[in-house]
Amino acid sequence: MPYHKNKQQAFEAAQQGTMEAKEWYDHLVKSDADYGSQLHHLKQEVNEAFEQINNALEVASEKQRKQLEQFRHDLQEIVEEVNMYE
C-alpha cells in the first residue's frame, strides 16, 4: 500500500474513533439504570480513539497533525467532564 494511503487511513480511523467517542458521550445519561455500563463503554471508545490518534500522528501531514491535536483536545475535554461526575 502506498505511504500516503496509510497516512489517510490512519487519519480517518482517528477521526472516526473520535466521532464515535463523542457520540457515546452525547448519549450518556447519568440517570439511566445502565449509566455505569454506558460509562465503561465510553471509556473504551475514548481509549481506542486516543490510540488511533497516536498512531495517526506518527505518519500525519502537518494539516492532519493540527486536526489530530484538536481531536485529542476534544477527547481530553470528555475525560475531564466525565471525571468530574465520578
Side-chain angles (χ1 to χ4, degrees):
M1 231 181 248
Y3 178 74
H4 71 276
K5 184 139 177 134
N6 289 342
K7 188 175 3 183
Q8 186 61 32
Q9 286 177 332
F11 177 80
E12 288 172 5
Q15 186 175 40
Q16 181 71 29
T18 302
M19 286 171 44
E20 287 173 14
K22 285 181 177 183
E23 213 169 279
W24 270 94
Y25 176 71
D26 289 342
H27 292 96
L28 194 64
V29 181
K30 286 183 278 300
S31 59
D32 271 9
D34 65 344
Y35 173 74
S37 171
Q38 290 177 19
L39 186 61
H40 178 74
H41 194 94
L42 171 62
K43 287 179 179 181
Q44 285 180 309
E45 292 287 336
V46 167
N47 287 335
E48 286 175 26
F50 272 128
E51 275 184 48
Q52 291 165 327
I53 290 168
N54 289 337
N55 290 341
L57 279 168
E58 291 178 15
V59 295
S61 67
E62 195 54 42
K63 182 181 176 192
Q64 287 174 330
R65 187 171 298 280
K66 287 182 177 139
Q67 289 177 287
L68 291 164
E69 292 296 345
Q70 182 61 51
F71 296 159
R72 185 184 294 190
H73 175 76
D74 293 349
L75 290 174
Q76 194 57 48
E77 284 184 341
I78 290 174
V79 169
E80 289 168 13
E81 193 77 23
V82 167
N83 286 343
M84 283 187 349
Y85 295 109
E86 283 194 86

